[in-house]
């Protein structure tokens, strides 16, 4: 259990230590990538709670979502349409759904525990 | 093995996730800091920009004024130059007039007349009739002046506009200076004109000759006359 936590800490410190400055026009990609990652993490937690967790789906979903979101943002920039908003919207909605489901599942579990 | 694989996947994902989150956080922080700074300085920036604009406008105005002033200066200079040339011309005119009036020495071509008493005087009683009188001189001088003489002198003494010639016995007084015969009258002017005008039929020379006066006339290329001593 300590390996993922260690990796999270390493990743966080790595991100804090890097001195790479991203040009302004790429800040959209970064934010969308963060959102995609967040969405995938919560999706993973939800899947885990529902007992449907598949590491392959999780892993590919994580990277695929990030890349797809960046691609969408790139396309939007090229077309002059703020397509990354679509990604933000989609990920935001899914994020809320996932969190809602996680909450419900957790509440259900607790109630079961109380009943038992 | 499955458990381990899941752990690896989870850690990998979390690594990337952590990196992304922290990097984004850091990036946003620096960006917002920049934005904040520019926000704080926006007013200052605007103020300075406004100042710069004001200065530039003022600059342009001053430049225009400078151009205007330069043009004015140029005009004044031109006027001054014009005045200077005018003054030069005036000085020339004045010199000429002074020459004519006698305040400056004058020289030029002209004629020289010598009037002398008749060499042969038949009777002493009528000696008066054979002498050169002031009226003869005046006649000659008037004729010369009307012929366009610029300056006239008698025996080297210049005649001025207020000169007088009078007969004092056998001598002639010009401005109080007495001159005995013969009298040399020099006139500066166009020598041909003077010559012709003196030699007219029944002209001055004829009259003089009729009055028994010896007249000698010669043209001169240069005659010099001194200025009035005042």
């Amino acid at each position: 259990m300590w390996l993922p936590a260690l990796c999270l800490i390493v990743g966080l410190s790595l991100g804090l230590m890097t001195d790479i400055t991203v040009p302004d026009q790429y800040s959209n990609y970064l934010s969308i990538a963060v959102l995609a990652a967040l969405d995938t993490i919560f999706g993973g937690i939800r899947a885990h709670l529902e007992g449907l967790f598949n590491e392959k789906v999780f892993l590919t979903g994580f990277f695929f979502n990030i890349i797809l979101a960046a691609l969408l943002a790139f396309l939007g920039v090229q077309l002059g349409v703020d397509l990354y908003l679509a990604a933000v919207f989609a990920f935001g909605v899914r994020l809320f759904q996932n969190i809602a489901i996680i909450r419900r599942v957790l509440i259900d579990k607790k109630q079961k525990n109380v009943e038992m | 093995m499955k458990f381990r694989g899941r752990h690896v996947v989870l850690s990998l994902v979390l690594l990337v996730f952590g990196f992304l989150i922290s990097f984004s956080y850091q990036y946003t922080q620096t960006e917002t800091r920049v934005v904040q700074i520019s926000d704080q300085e926006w007013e200052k920036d605007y103020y300075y920009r406004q100042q710069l604009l004001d200065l530039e406008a003022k600059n342009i105005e001053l430049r225009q004024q400078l151009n205007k002033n330069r043009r004015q200066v140029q005009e004044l200079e031109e006027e001054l130059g014009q005045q200077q040339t005018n003054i030069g011309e005036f000085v020339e005119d004045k010199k000429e007039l002074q020459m004519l009036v006698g305040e400056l020495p004058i020289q030029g071509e002209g004629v020289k007349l010598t009037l002398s008493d008749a060499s042969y005087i038949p009777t002493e009683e009528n000696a008066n009739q054979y002498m050169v009188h002031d009226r003869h001189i005046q006649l000659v001088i008037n004729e010369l002046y009307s012929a366009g003489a610029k300056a006239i002198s008698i025996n080297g003494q210049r005649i001025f506009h207020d000169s007088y010639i009078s007969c004092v016995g056998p001598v002639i007084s010009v401005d109080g200076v007495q001159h005995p015969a013969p009298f040399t009258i020099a006139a500066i002017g166009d020598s041909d004109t003077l010559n012709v005008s003196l030699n007219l039929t029944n002209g001055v020379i004829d009259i003089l000759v009729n009055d028994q006066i010896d007249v000698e006339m010669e043209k001169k290329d240069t005659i010099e006359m001194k200025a009035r001593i005042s």
Side-chain angles (χ1 to χ4, degrees):
Chain A
M1 204 53 210
W2 48 268
L3 189 61
L6 191 74
C7 278
L8 182 65
I9 289 160
V10 168
L12 281 170
S13 49
L14 217 64
L16 282 173
M17 280 192 293
T18 43
D19 252 1
I20 309 163
T21 49
V22 185
D24 257 2
Q25 67 256 40
Y26 298 129
S27 57
N28 283 343
Y29 299 96
L30 192 66
S31 60
I32 219 158
V34 169
L35 206 60
L38 216 62
D39 172 65
T40 317
I41 293 283
F42 278 105
I45 291 167
R46 176 195 149 198
H48 177 70
L49 288 173
E50 286 180 340
L52 299 168
F53 187 75
N54 184 341
E55 64 253 34
K56 250 182 209 159
V57 171
F58 182 62
L59 195 64
T60 51
F62 183 76
F63 289 106
F64 195 73
N65 273 355
I66 290 174
I67 290 162
L68 194 71
L71 218 67
L72 207 63
F74 174 74
L75 199 71
V77 169
Q78 296 301 314
L79 291 176
V81 183
D82 286 341
L83 270 181
Y84 79 96
L85 285 176
V88 168
F89 182 71
F91 286 134
V93 168
R94 266 178 55 177
L95 204 64
F96 275 108
Q97 270 178 348
N98 283 341
I99 288 167
I101 289 167
I102 288 165
R103 198 188 63 223
R104 218 167 285 165
V105 167
L106 283 177
I107 288 168
D108 279 354
K109 264 190 185 172
K110 220 170 202 176
Q111 276 180 343
K112 267 182 200 164
N113 278 351
V114 169
E115 278 171 18
M116 280 168 84
Chain B
M1 199 65 204
K2 198 185 170 190
F3 185 71
R4 193 159 174 77
R6 180 181 286 188
H7 260 242
V8 168
V9 165
L10 200 64
S11 47
L12 184 65
V13 166
L14 279 175
L15 181 76
V16 174
F17 177 71
F19 175 78
L20 273 175
I21 289 283
S22 54
F23 183 74
S24 173
Y25 172 73
Q26 188 201 25
Y27 172 73
T28 318
Q29 218 173 23
T30 55
E31 200 185 34
T32 50
R33 203 189 306 144
V34 169
V35 167
Q36 265 177 353
I37 285 163
S38 67
D39 254 355
Q40 279 169 351
E41 295 201 338
W42 176 247
E43 216 167 316
K44 233 180 196 175
D45 186 74
Y46 178 75
Y47 173 71
Y48 284 133
R49 225 171 266 270
Q50 200 62 39
Q51 229 173 8
L52 185 71
L53 281 176
D54 284 352
L55 273 175
E56 272 174 359
K58 213 172 176 183
N59 225 341
I60 285 170
E61 203 179 309
L62 285 174
R63 216 174 276 269
Q64 276 173 351
Q65 212 171 344
L66 182 73
N67 275 342
K68 215 168 92 185
N69 285 347
R70 272 204 188 130
R71 223 174 299 136
Q72 254 172 6
V73 164
Q74 206 173 0
E75 273 172 24
L76 279 175
E77 272 176 357
E78 260 171 41
E79 210 174 302
L80 230 91
Q82 191 63 41
Q83 274 178 1
Q84 227 150 20
T85 53
N86 278 351
I87 284 170
E89 278 170 22
F90 286 149
V91 163
E92 272 317 299
D93 284 359
K94 184 183 164 249
K95 235 184 224 172
E96 211 169 299
L97 288 172
Q98 271 178 322
M99 277 178 186
L100 290 180
V101 164
E103 284 183 6
L104 282 177
I106 187 169
Q107 69 170 41
E109 61 162 357
V111 293
K112 213 171 197 177
L113 263 113
T114 308
L115 311 183
S116 40
D117 297 343
S119 48
Y120 171 68
I121 302 168
T123 51
E124 283 294 321
E125 286 172 34
N126 297 326
N128 215 25
Q129 285 180 4
Y130 300 93
M131 281 169 66
V132 179
H133 289 280
D134 55 344
R135 60 189 162 87
H136 298 131
I137 306 280
Q138 279 163 359
L139 199 69
V140 170
I141 285 166
N142 284 340
E143 182 61 33
L144 285 170
Y145 270 135
S146 50
K150 302 260 191 292
I152 295 170
S153 67
I154 296 172
N155 283 6
Q157 187 187 348
R158 244 183 111 170
I159 304 287
F160 306 109
H161 70 281
D162 55 351
S163 293
Y164 63 91
I165 298 161
S166 59
C167 210
V168 188
V171 296
I172 282 172
S173 158
V174 177
D175 288 347
V177 181
Q178 293 181 347
H179 294 282
F183 307 100
T184 308
I185 302 173
I188 291 174
D190 185 30
S191 53
D192 288 328
T193 315
L194 295 175
N195 195 15
V196 167
S197 125
L198 288 170
N199 282 315
L200 282 172
T201 323
N202 291 325
V204 173
I205 295 207
D206 280 1
I207 293 167
L208 291 176
V209 169
N210 283 339
D211 279 356
Q212 324 294 336
I213 292 167
D214 287 352
V215 180
E216 273 176 50
M217 196 168 86
E218 53 177 334
K219 288 187 195 172
K220 286 258 188 176
D221 282 341
T222 51
I223 296 172
E224 275 184 52
M225 287 183 202
K226 284 180 201 156
R228 181 214 291 263
I229 303 152
S230 52

